[in-house]
Amino acid sequence: MNIRGKLIIIGGAVDKGSFTETDIDKNASSNLKFFETGILKRIISESKHKENSRIEVITTASSIPKEIGPEYVKAFEYLNAMNVGVLYIEKREEAADENVLVRLKAADIVIVTGGDQLRLTSILGGTPFHDILLDKYHNEEFVYAGTSAGAAAASNNMIYQGSSSEALLKGEVKITSGLGLIDGVVIDTHFVRRGRIGRLFQTVVSNPRVLGIGLGEDTGLLITNNTQMEAIGSGLVILVDGRDIKDTNLTQVQLGQPISINNLVVHVMSMNDTYNIETHTMQIETSHYI
């Protein structure tokens, strides 16, 4: 299937780059340095009308939506994108409100903020809002950008719970359905600082066909046609490929016991590296062998 939309998934920001800085105006140059040169600017440049694109910020996942939404508006304004609004969808019935749906239909970019991905999917999943979002992504020049929870929820399979320290104990990682923009992958965020690689290992060993994607802070992936991925931002993207797993004790151990995995393949991507999901080939932009 030819997918016309673009998916930009972001691992979340470190404290210095967070939009929730109280002194964002005073220290805008430092707070937004990364985003100006990286992800937010790239979101704008990949959109249909660039700085004139209509942008809607979705704060459903956040516990402090009234604080988060305006910070994103400010951040985009620093990049000369002035046509920005915030959709505060906090109840399922609001995801069927005609005014909300009209705004979504007119959007060139939707950016879904961080927070709780289970809250996000339980409110938006299966609603008219969700239906329109999927239709736009498949059939229009549309950008879905998700950070943290908004990134984790983009795939069909979604991690919503799991201790980082005990992630390789059987049963510690909980998975449910996400928003379903992309299939065949599972996405985890805040990957480096919170030490979540074990969560991806358990997810992938339970279904080796699924490619695990771990997004570090200040890092994202631009995905076109649900096949070609490009690393953007200053951090790392970890890919976990389980297709060549030779052995595991997953089905033999009891819940809470450690999992063993033989021959799990891991790739590490940094800025401008690419990976093709269909061919499972990676290209390092500044390769040692070129």
Side-chain angles (χ1 to χ4, degrees):
M1 178 183 291
N2 182 37
I3 295 178
R4 297 187 66 194
K6 298 175 182 178
L7 182 62
I8 297 178
I9 49 176
I10 308 159
V14 296
D15 290 343
K16 184 177 179 182
S18 174
F19 299 134
T20 58
E21 297 279 353
T22 56
D23 56 353
I24 189 170
D25 290 303
K26 182 179 179 181
N27 294 321
S29 61
S30 59
N31 289 341
L32 297 172
K33 180 180 179 182
F34 165 75
F35 294 97
E36 288 179 353
T37 58
I39 293 176
L40 276 196
K41 193 169 185 178
R42 188 63 180 271
I43 291 171
I44 296 168
S45 67
E46 290 292 337
S47 66
K48 183 176 182 180
H49 301 296
K50 309 302 189 258
E51 286 84 358
N52 296 318
S53 289
R54 176 61 186 174
I55 303 170
E56 294 287 0
V57 180
I58 312 300
T59 59
T60 304
S62 176
S63 61
I64 49 170
K66 301 297 183 182
E67 296 177 38
I68 292 291
E71 298 296 345
Y72 273 91
V73 173
K74 290 181 185 178
F76 278 113
E77 287 177 349
Y78 279 113
L79 299 178
N80 298 314
M82 303 296 181
N83 191 10
V84 187
V86 183
L87 283 172
Y88 298 106
I89 304 171
E90 300 179 38
K91 300 177 182 178
R92 282 185 62 81
E93 54 262 35
E94 294 171 349
D97 182 89
E98 188 59 33
N99 291 329
V100 169
L101 301 183
V102 167
R103 286 176 59 177
L104 175 61
K105 289 176 182 177
D108 302 300
I109 301 170
V110 159
I111 181 160
V112 182
T113 72
D116 180 349
Q117 55 262 44
L118 195 58
R119 172 179 167 81
L120 178 66
T121 56
S122 64
I123 291 176
L124 296 183
T127 65
F129 185 97
H130 188 196
D131 293 339
I132 293 170
L133 185 71
L134 290 173
D135 182 69
K136 287 178 69 69
Y137 179 68
H138 283 92
N139 300 306
E140 298 181 19
E141 293 181 54
F142 173 72
V143 176
Y144 173 100
T147 181
S148 190
S155 55
N156 191 50
N157 300 292
M158 180 185 80
I159 297 173
Y160 71 92
Q161 186 178 322
S163 165
S164 298
S165 61
E166 299 177 343
L168 275 176
L169 302 182
K170 183 177 179 178
E172 282 297 319
V173 179
K174 306 297 190 296
I175 301 171
T176 188
S177 297
L179 295 176
L181 282 84
I182 183 170
D183 200 6
V185 304
V186 65
I187 302 159
D188 209 353
T189 60
H190 292 287
F191 199 68
V192 176
R193 292 292 180 94
R194 300 185 188 179
R196 288 178 167 173
I197 195 163
R199 302 202 325 180
L200 271 191
F201 286 171
Q202 181 165 168
T203 302
V204 171
V205 75
S206 66
N207 186 357
R209 183 179 181 275
V210 174
L211 178 70
I213 300 174
L215 300 169
E217 291 77 9
D218 290 350
T219 307
L221 277 176
L222 166 65
I223 304 175
T224 54
N225 200 32
N226 277 7
T227 55
Q228 188 69 15
M229 305 193 301
E230 177 190 344
I232 57 178
S234 62
L236 300 176
V237 178
I238 310 296
L239 303 180
V240 179
D241 185 351
R243 292 174 304 126
D244 293 326
I245 289 175
K246 296 185 183 302
D247 196 10
T248 178
N249 64 351
L250 179 66
T251 61
Q252 304 304 311
V253 299
Q254 300 298 312
L255 288 175
Q257 295 300 305
I259 298 170
S260 301
I261 310 168
N262 180 12
N263 210 52
L264 189 64
V265 176
V266 176
H267 306 284
V268 182
M269 300 175 69
S270 59
M271 186 183 292
N272 299 325
D273 293 346
T274 59
Y275 186 91
N276 188 290
I277 296 174
E278 288 187 341
T279 62
H280 300 281
T281 54
M282 178 175 163
Q283 180 65 52
I284 297 177
E285 174 70 11
T286 54
S287 170
H288 177 72
Y289 300 106
I290 295 178

